[in-house]
Amino acid sequence: MFRVLYAWPLLLLTACAGAGDARLMLDPVGGLSAALQESSGLVALESGFISHNDSGHDAELFILDERGHTLQRMPVAAHNRDWEDIARHDNTLYIADTGNNGGKRRDLRVLALDLTPGKAPPEKPRVLPVRYREQHNFTPPAHQHNFDAEALTQVNDELWLLTKRWLDQYSAIYRVHPDGDSSPLTQWQRLNTQMLVTGADFDAGTQTLLLVGYSRSLFNRQAFVWLYPVKNNRVTEQAGRRFRLNETGQFEAITLGTDGHLYFTREGSAPRLFRSRQPLTTLISG
């Protein structure tokens, strides 16, 4: 009872957050399959997208066309403990099995799936272990810790994992060891995102980090996007721009499409694919 009452001020404050943000207008592109109602990651292909569900679903990737229709379901030989995002670098897909709402997991990992054109997918993905050097308590109350991570992206020559910090709505950046080294990850940078970060992408052409997330409010879950310039593989935080989406709900994934526009998925009973009206180049120059 006391815990619920203590949470009320936080919920009320986050409900009011974002009132002064610029608006990012989205248009619905199409509905996703009911089998993909918990779309938690999204990555663009030359023609279409790849997405996946999070915990409680099969370990499989959904190959989508430009409107979000499922073309193929590709099984992955690994357990889906809690897949939260997907990234791509050349012919390698990285799947973040790093969802950790309870803060108790000791088996966090990123799965690396090498997809060489003309060759069959490998029987099993490579495993890149994830351990946080700063985490010492593995029995916190649910949602009362800072070691959940739901955003993954390739930034130049580095693979970045970004946390969903429940206690302060910041996001910490960790650089994943690409060779599978099991040594703990050390926080690289921390951003004052003022939201729960749920997805990421990076545009190498403009050196821009894209983050999507939402407020903690249970009553009016507002969704936001941050666009941060990156220089020498560090975020220039003071130059970042935050936008509030014209749509509300649980937006869990973001990617930059081949047309230069931002694409999002929103999970729920009627999952959808959305597209920003303005391209990234316009948004960062405004």
Side-chain angles (χ1 to χ4, degrees), residues 23 26 37 39 150 164 195-198 212-225 244-253 264-272 274:
R23 298 296 295 273
L26 304 184
Q37 67 177 6
S39 171
E150 301 191 4
K164 180 181 184 180
M195 68 180 188
L196 299 175
V197 172
T198 57
V212 68
Y214 47 77
S215 62
R216 286 197 64 167
S217 171
L218 298 177
F219 308 107
N220 181 25
R221 179 155 281 175
Q222 298 180 5
F224 304 92
V225 164
R244 181 162 56 98
L245 304 188
N246 66 314
E247 296 277 347
T248 58
Q250 195 159 329
F251 281 80
E252 293 271 343
F264 306 82
T265 56
R266 184 178 64 193
E267 68 174 47
S269 59
R272 299 191 70 85
F274 292 87

Side-chain angles (χ1 to χ4, degrees), residues 108 130-135 147-149 161 163 174 184-185:
L108 302 171
V130 172
R131 291 191 298 137
Y132 303 111
R133 187 176 302 278
E134 298 84 1
Q135 183 175 13
F147 298 100
D148 191 4
L161 181 67
T163 60
Y174 291 86
L185 307 181

Side-chain angles (χ1 to χ4, degrees), residues 131-145:
R131 291 191 298 137
Y132 303 111
R133 187 176 302 278
E134 298 84 1
Q135 183 175 13
H136 305 290
N137 179 10
F138 288 87
T139 58
H143 303 159
Q144 296 297 313
H145 65 93

Side-chain angles (χ1 to χ4, degrees), residues 152-169:
L152 181 74
T153 189
Q154 182 78 25
V155 177
N156 299 317
D157 58 344
E158 298 178 346
L159 185 61
W160 286 11
L161 181 67
L162 295 99
T163 60
K164 180 181 184 180
R165 292 172 58 97
W166 290 95
L167 293 178
D168 56 19
Q169 297 191 83

